[in-house]
């Protein structure tokens, strides 16, 4: 019958070739499908951005009460985070004002932070507070609550009276924001030093 009939051997060879081809095609298809699924899984992985939202320089924040300036916070740099927290990586200066508009107390520190969740300001590193009464307070960290107008810490504190030379050491402190009243939680020492002497 010539070309119209295939011999059993040719038919078998053709089937084998077709089967191999079919298997290879299926394997390739499955591989592509698996790769697509893997890419899909990877594309669904969301990595949240935790870097700064914005940076600003020469920041000044004013707090007033009944139209009267109460507190002024200044710093050279502010970094705002996605949590709405604000970091002050450079020196922080705070002025607390009295009813007559005069500065009653000043505070300075190496750095600071505003915590949006709690509404608290925390200053750290070589914290120094100077009052109108010529008293100086030294600590590693202080927290200021604008709502309660209180300042506190659980760190070591030293309070020095520049006029009398009296110095108090202690652990922990609670004060109102202008430091006209304060108490040391756990006093550890009280002694007289030459007036104007700074603590170590």
């Amino acid at each position: 019958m010539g070309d119209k009939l295939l011999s059993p051997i040719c038919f078998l060879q053709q089937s084998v070739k077709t089967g191999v081809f079919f298997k290879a095609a299926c394997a390739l298809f499955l591989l592509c499908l698996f790769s697509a699924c893997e890419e899909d899984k990877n594309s669904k992985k969301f990595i949240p951005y935790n870097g700064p939202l914005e940076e600003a320089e020469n920041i000044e924040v004013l707090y007033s009460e009944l139209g009267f300036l109460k507190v002024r916070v200044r710093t050279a740099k502010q970094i705002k985070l996605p949590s709405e927290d604000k970091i002050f990586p450079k020196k922080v200066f705070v002025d607390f004002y009295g009813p007559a508009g005069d500065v009653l107390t000043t505070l300075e520190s190496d750095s600071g932070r505003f915590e949006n969740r709690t509404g608290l300001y925390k200053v750290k590193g070589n914290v120094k507070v100077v009052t109108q009464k010529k008293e100086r307070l030294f600590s590693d960290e202080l927290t200021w609550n604008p709502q309660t107008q209180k300042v506190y810490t659980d760190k070591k504190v030293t309070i020095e009276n520049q006029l009398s030379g009296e110095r108090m050491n202690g652990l922990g402190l609670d004060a109102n924001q202008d430091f006209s009243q304060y108490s040391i939680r756990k006093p550890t020492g009280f002694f007289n030093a030459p007036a104007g002497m700074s603590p170590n």
Side-chain angles (χ1 to χ4, degrees):
M1 297 187 128
D3 293 335
K4 292 183 180 178
L5 293 175
L6 291 173
S7 69
I9 295 173
C10 288
F11 182 75
L12 185 60
Q13 286 176 342
Q14 187 68 26
S15 298
V16 170
K17 287 179 182 175
T18 304
V20 170
F21 175 75
F22 179 73
K23 286 180 182 177
C26 285
L28 185 61
F29 175 75
L30 290 173
L31 184 62
C32 290
L33 185 64
F34 179 73
S35 297
C37 288
E38 282 299 308
E39 286 177 13
D40 209 33
K41 284 180 185 176
N42 291 337
S43 66
K44 287 181 181 177
K45 287 183 181 177
F46 176 72
I47 301 173
Y49 175 71
N50 292 318
L53 288 181
E54 64 181 27
E55 293 186 14
E57 294 183 350
N58 299 320
I59 295 297
E60 183 176 74
V61 180
L62 303 176
Y63 284 85
S64 60
E65 187 178 289
L66 301 174
F68 293 99
L69 180 62
K70 289 293 181 182
V71 181
R72 180 174 67 153
V73 181
R74 293 171 292 128
T75 186
K77 187 173 184 179
Q78 172 185 285
I79 300 171
K80 188 176 180 182
L81 301 178
S83 62
E84 298 294 322
D85 286 4
K86 296 171 185 174
I87 297 173
F88 313 118
K90 296 188 176 180
K91 277 191 170 289
V92 177
F93 301 92
V94 185
D95 296 324
F96 296 96
Y97 291 82
D102 53 335
V103 176
L104 297 181
T105 306
T106 62
L107 179 153
E108 67 177 78
S109 68
D110 290 343
S111 64
R113 184 183 185 109
F114 170 74
E115 294 181 352
N116 181 60
R117 184 180 59 82
T118 60
L120 301 177
Y121 282 87
K122 292 191 177 185
V123 291
K124 292 185 177 183
N126 297 309
V127 180
K128 181 172 79 170
V129 177
V130 180
T131 72
Q132 206 176 40
K133 298 176 182 178
K134 300 296 182 185
E135 289 181 312
R136 297 192 297 186
L137 178 144
F138 300 87
S139 185
D140 290 329
E141 179 181 306
L142 281 180
T143 299
W144 171 51
N145 186 331
Q147 296 299 318
T148 62
Q149 300 184 3
K150 300 292 183 184
V151 176
Y152 59 90
T153 185
D154 57 2
K155 308 295 184 186
K156 289 181 180 179
V157 294
T158 296
I159 298 176
E160 176 192 280
N161 187 310
Q162 292 179 275
L163 299 177
S164 66
E166 293 177 344
R167 187 188 299 170
M168 290 182 289
N169 297 324
L171 188 63
L173 171 121
D174 296 283
N176 53 1
Q177 67 184 22
D178 63 4
F179 287 86
S180 57
Q181 294 180 344
Y182 60 82
S183 63
I184 295 178
R185 294 178 186 174
K186 186 179 178 182
T188 57
F190 178 85
F191 60 94
N192 287 325
M197 180 178 169
S198 296
N200 294 332

